[in-house]
Structures are given as structure tokens and as C-alpha cells.
Amino acid sequence: MWKYRMLSGKMGSSNAPCNVLLVFLIAFCTLYRCSAVEIGANQTAWLFVNASEASARKMPKHLFGLFFEEINHAGSGGLWAELVSNRGFESGGQILPSSITPWSTLGDESSINVSTDLSSSFERNKVALRMEILCDSKGTNICPAGGVGIYNPGFWGMNIEQGKTYKLVFYIRSLKPINVFVSLTDSHGSQALSTVSIIADDVSKWTKVEALLEAKGTNPSSRLQLTSTKKGVIWLDQVSLMPLDTYKGHGFRNDLFKMLADLKPGFLRFPGGCFVEGDWLRNAFRWKDTIGPWEERPGHFGDVWNYWTDDGLGHFEFLQLAEDLGAEPIWVFNNGISHNDEVDSSNILPFVQEILDGIEFARGDPDSTWGSVRAAMGHPEPFVLRYVAVGNEDCGKPNYLGNYLKFYGAIRNAYPDIKIISNCDGSSLPLDHPADFPATKLQAFVSEYAVHGDNSGAGTLLGALAEASFLIGLERNSDVVEMASYAPLFLNVNDRKWVADAIVFNSSQVFGTPSYWMQHFFIESNGAILLDSTLQANSSTSLIASAIIWQNLDDSKDYLRVKIVNFGSNTVNLKISVIGLELNPRQSSGSRTVLASKSYNDENSFQEPKKVNKPFSTL
């Protein structure tokens, strides 16, 4: 028999109290001294929970997880803590003259001339900024106070906080000695939060400059300025500003990382989504372009969501993120198919080899070809990688099946333990190709779920309740459903590409939508024991429920958790009966009844229940 205990406190005279956690639209109530909560209920329903071992079924340990896609500036200007937007001046392309947005010029045409050329020392990103300073500190054309130059506002403002330190890196070249002032200022450049002076006599060849800036003030809408009062020509490239206090020094913005970690995800699916495919293959996410020193990454234009990313958050960083979260990584890779073009199966082998190399990068020994690249990036131990997905939403494309079979055969031969996920739906008809999720029976990966109808807005309680009822359904069908994840995960409020989203943020603030907090109620479901539960009503009701046994890692004890959603408009008087409990000898029955109710009405507001006699505890 299962044993249950209160999360806190004592009740009655029993030495073996138990606790039922009821969530969503119902009152919390203790098992021993609780009567029905009368709130004018017009319907009555019973939930019968069989807590005996005979009714139990273990749910997948990775049932609920996360899906990250570079959308809504989720990574670039979000989770990835780089503060400079378009740090390599590459977003305008290599057809000159090119745009350097969001960089802007400080000074008029009589004092400065800014342009781009292809003089960078980095082979994969040749664009550099050429800054010709026409004024001087003396003579007839005197520079304005503070000098002339360029500034970068980051991703709708840099969040600079007093007392924190920021690491500045940039590359510079000039035929003359330089005196460059680097400042963190407010959005207008009038208040300096930190300033350093870069003086050098010989930078005739590209020179890497590093400096630490300690903020003397706080401003969430700051910008980075590079100015000079010395006449001459200066070339700049790869300008980066990162806070020192990223999570474990891994480059993840702390507050956004915590929002993910608090969900205790079972897995992390990355890097997309449509971002993987691209509208055109030339703009697809290709992992080899996203590894190695950040200065050497070419970046690319994400043409599905229409913004540039420097790919600081690349293949290595996604694997690191999954490891930091304690989540199983699921790598979704491009299979030679975009929204508008495809590689024929007869020509797909270079793509196949690219993916085999990507797996070796993650799992290979540190002396292997690609494992050595990973080791050089600071992670000599192999990452865990047991799942890959062949493409994203590509089933039905002309070349998908042929391409899939080439990937499947090559991966299966080289890495027989890796589970390979197909894009195709096998719920109505058997798949016409092999898939390992698992091989013994049909199993589904619900990789993107969310309510985003006309009434869901930017994320509402009503939408979250609908999602909760859906997840309860997944729990009850977890013999078929292996994994599920909400999408999209992040939203920068300045670039909304999709509604609704789980986590909303700007440069300095973050909050979870109702959909995010809804997922907290399912944290304990991963690897938990699902119990048989049955709802009975005296008339039609819109209820769905599940009951699980989960182990609290803090005390290694088992608890019973019941989740119920009323997604209708009627008030329901809910009564719960739990049978099959192991009780202490003074208790004469193996069943207990919990009576509780709460209503949800047509006006989308809650009707609070009357108070019960005993306090209750929640997670």
C-alpha cells in the first residue's frame, strides 16, 4: 500500500496523516475533518480515486519539459545575456554600403563619417565599421564635448545596474595612436554610468581590447557609446558587452534562467521550431556556424521571425543550458527542408554528415574530431544526448520521407542508442517509416501546445485553464504520450511575433503568464505514479481530473496530489473519495472522503468558497 503524509502540520489523532492537494477551481481541504463547502452549487460530482498499487501506472520521467525557439527575441536580447545588438555589424549583409542598425552615429557630417567595409580579420564575418573622425581636440574643427562616435542601445535598452560589472570586448585598428572613450550612459547620452579610456600607440593591426566597466548608477534603458576627440580613421569590429554575473558564467541571464529552472523541466527541445527550417535553406539554423569563439560566428538572419541573431546562443550553449537545467536535451535539426525549398534525397548526404558531426560534437571523446572542438570550448566531458528530431513540422513535404530514411539509417548505424523522432503523426494510421519513440508501441511527443485563440489575448487565466485540462488529459494518456512542451516559451515585449507566450520580459523585468504558472502544477508529474480516478456526476459537467503519487525530494516521502479543472460555466459541488490508503491501526477504514467545491462563472471571475475548519498546505 502507498503511504501518504501531510506536507506540514498535524491533524486529528492519527500518526499517519495524509494530504490531498487539489488544484484549479476547487478549495483545499483536509482528509479528516472536512465537510462540503456550500456555495449555492447547482450540480454535484464525485471523484473516486483508487490509491491501491493495482491501479497505479508510472508516467514517463520526462513527460513535461520545455521547448525553446528563437522567436520573440527569446535568446538574442533575452535569455542570452549579450547586451550589444548586431555586435559584428553583420546584419546589413556584405553588399556595401550596409546598414548597421541599431548602431547610430554621434556627431554631424562635419565631424564624423561612418561606413562599412570588408576589412575584418574574421573570415566568416568580414564586415567592419569604418569611423572617420573629421574633428579634433585642437585646430579649426574642434570636436564637441565628449567627442564623436557611435552608440548601441542594445535590445530596446541595456539594463545597467549599480554596483554590477560588465565585460567589454572589441577589436580595433587604426594607422595612428588612439584615444577612445567607452561609456555606459542613459538613453540620451546625458548621464554617464561608467566610463573607461582606451589609449594605445600602435593598433595598426587588428587588436583585441578588453575592459571591465563597473556601473555607478542604474538605468534599464542604457546604451553603450564609443567616442573620440582625435582626428583619424578607426575601424571597429565585434563589440560585445556582457554582465559578469550570468548563470554560472555560462552566459544565461539569471532571472530568465531561474524562470526555466523553477519549472524543473524533464527535457529541453531546441533550437526550434520554424527557426530550424527557415523560410529558405540559406537562412536555416546550421549548427556548425554557431560554435567556436563567438567572434568567429557569422550569425544569420532568421527569415521566419525576421530578425538577425549573432548566434551567441548556439549548439554548444543549448547543450549547456539543458545540462544546467538538469533536462534531457532534444536536438531538432534541419533535414534539408525549409518552408520554400528542399534538398533532394539523392543529394542529402552532406546534411546527414553534418548531423553526425553534430552528435559527435555533443557526445564524442575529447580527442575525437568534433569532441575536441567541444573540449576547446570548455566542456571536455561529453554532453548527454539521447534524442534527436529529424526536421520540424515537415511531414508531407515531397522529400521528407526520403530524407528521413537517410538520416535514420546513418544515425542508427553510428549511434544505436539514440531515439529518433519523426515529424509524422502515427495516431490514426501506422507510420510508413521506422521511429524510435519508442519502437515497441505508438508514442507521441506533443512538442508545441498552447491556447492561442481569439479570446486568449496575450495569455489569460481562461486559456491557462484550458491548457490545464489538456495536460490532465495527457497525464491520463501518458501510456501513449511520452513528452509535451508549451510554445512559445519566451516573449520580449518589444517584438511580439506570437501569442500567447509563457514568460514575458523586457531588459530588466520578467513575469510568468497564467500559462507559465499553470505548468507549475504539473512539475511533480514527471516520473510520478498515475492512479485510476473516475468522475461521476448527477448531470453533465465540464470537469477533468487526475490523481498522482509523487515523491517529495526534500523529505523522500510520498504524497497524493489531485488536480481538477472545471472548464464549464456551472458551479459544481465536488466530493472526493480516496480508497486504498494505508492507515494506522486506530483507523478502521481504508477509505476517506474529501468534500470541496469552487465555482467558475460566465463572467470569468471566481466565487470564493467558505472557509473550512482546518488550515491547509500547498506546494
Side-chain angles (χ1 to χ4, degrees), residues 1-9 11 14-21 31-32 49-56 529-532 547-552 555-562 577-584 587 589-592:
M1 292 293 185
W2 301 105
K3 296 181 180 179
Y4 310 98
R5 294 173 174 84
M6 289 293 294
L7 285 177
S8 61
M11 295 205 62
S14 170
N15 293 323
C18 64
N19 192 55
V20 178
L21 299 177
L31 285 176
Y32 293 100
V49 178
N50 184 349
S52 66
E53 290 186 81
S55 77
I529 303 299
L530 180 72
L531 301 177
D532 181 54
I548 66 171
I549 300 292
W550 62 281
Q551 187 177 77
N552 186 346
D555 59 13
S556 298
K557 297 175 181 177
D558 293 328
Y559 294 90
L560 172 65
R561 187 181 187 103
V562 177
S577 178
V578 182
I579 62 172
L581 297 176
E582 180 179 296
L583 307 172
N584 75 29
Q587 297 170 318
S589 172
S591 67
R592 282 294 180 267

Side-chain angles (χ1 to χ4, degrees), residues 77 105 108 146 157 220 274 283-284 410 458 475 547 561 582:
T105 303
D108 58 27
C274 296
N283 294 318
E475 283 187 333
R561 187 181 187 103
E582 180 179 296

Side-chain angles (χ1 to χ4, degrees), residues 22 25-30 34-39 41 43-45 564 572-576 593-599 609-610 612:
L22 310 178
L25 300 187
I26 60 174
F28 287 82
C29 194
T30 61
C34 180
S35 60
V37 184
E38 298 298 336
I39 54 174
Q43 295 189 41
T44 299
I564 304 169
V572 177
N573 183 31
L574 180 67
K575 303 179 180 181
I576 304 175
T593 299
V594 177
L595 304 179
S597 65
K598 197 170 185 179
S599 69
K610 294 180 180 179
V612 295

Side-chain angles (χ1 to χ4, degrees), residues 146-194:
V148 296
I150 56 173
Y151 71 88
N152 188 291
F155 300 89
W156 303 282
M158 298 178 179
N159 182 39
I160 302 301
E161 299 180 72
Q162 184 173 357
K164 289 192 175 183
T165 302
Y166 301 83
K167 182 178 181 179
L168 172 74
V169 179
F170 64 90
Y171 290 76
I172 193 166
R173 182 172 71 90
S174 179
L175 300 180
K176 296 182 178 181
I178 61 167
N179 187 355
V180 175
F181 303 98
V182 181
S183 303
L184 296 174
T185 75
D186 64 2
S187 60
H188 302 291
S190 57
Q191 177 191 8
L193 305 177
S194 184

Side-chain angles (χ1 to χ4, degrees), residues 387-433:
Y387 295 86
V388 296
V390 183
N392 174 75
E393 299 178 358
D394 296 324
C395 188
K397 299 284 184 68
N399 293 330
Y400 181 73
L401 179 57
N403 290 2
Y404 175 92
L405 292 173
K406 295 289 181 67
F407 283 102
Y408 185 91
I411 296 171
R412 173 60 61 250
N413 181 63
Y415 301 96
D417 65 305
I418 285 184
K419 292 186 176 182
I420 303 170
I421 303 170
S422 168
N423 287 185
C424 299
D425 178 13
S427 61
S428 56
L429 294 173
L431 294 178
D432 59 357
H433 55 277

Side-chain angles (χ1 to χ4, degrees), residues 290-511:
T290 74
I291 62 167
W294 59 266
E295 302 98 324
E296 299 175 7
R297 303 183 190 186
H300 78 286
F301 180 67
D303 59 355
V304 176
W305 307 120
N306 294 312
Y307 61 87
W308 174 265
T309 171
D310 290 314
D311 286 327
L313 184 59
H315 191 52
F316 176 91
E317 288 76 19
F318 281 118
L319 292 165
Q320 183 67 72
L321 177 61
E323 182 178 270
D324 287 345
L325 290 169
E328 191 85 27
I330 301 178
W331 179 27
V332 185
F333 58 76
N334 185 282
N335 63 324
I337 296 175
S338 77
H339 290 177
N340 292 300
D341 57 348
E342 302 181 37
V343 175
D344 188 86
S345 300
S346 61
N347 300 316
I348 199 63
L349 290 184
F351 277 75
V352 173
Q353 186 59 52
E354 180 178 317
I355 299 314
L356 293 176
D357 292 345
I359 297 173
E360 182 180 277
F361 176 89
R363 295 180 32 153
D365 293 333
D367 58 355
S368 64
T369 300
W370 289 102
S372 65
V373 179
R374 180 201 67 239
M377 295 181 68
H379 202 287
E381 303 83 8
F383 288 108
V384 173
L385 181 62
R386 290 185 282 247
Y387 295 86
V388 296
V390 183
N392 174 75
E393 299 178 358
D394 296 324
C395 188
K397 299 284 184 68
N399 293 330
Y400 181 73
L401 179 57
N403 290 2
Y404 175 92
L405 292 173
K406 295 289 181 67
F407 283 102
Y408 185 91
I411 296 171
R412 173 60 61 250
N413 181 63
Y415 301 96
D417 65 305
I418 285 184
K419 292 186 176 182
I420 303 170
I421 303 170
S422 168
N423 287 185
C424 299
D425 178 13
S427 61
S428 56
L429 294 173
L431 294 178
D432 59 357
H433 55 277
D436 300 317
F437 206 46
T440 55
K441 60 179 179 178
L442 171 68
Q443 203 119 8
F445 181 9
V446 183
S447 58
E448 299 185 37
Y449 75 82
V451 171
H452 59 90
D454 293 339
N455 63 346
S456 66
T460 64
L461 179 60
L462 182 61
L465 292 175
E467 291 159 356
S469 64
F470 176 69
L471 293 195
I472 287 176
L474 296 187
E475 283 187 333
R476 296 179 66 89
N477 290 279
S478 56
D479 56 334
V480 173
V481 177
E482 178 79 9
M483 296 176 174
S485 49
Y486 182 97
L489 184 59
F490 280 118
L491 164 68
N492 187 312
V493 294
N494 297 284
D495 187 33
R496 185 185 299 275
K497 303 292 186 183
W498 195 269
V499 291
D501 309 275
I503 301 168
V504 180
F505 66 92
N506 58 20
S507 69
S508 61
Q509 299 170 304
V510 59
F511 69 86

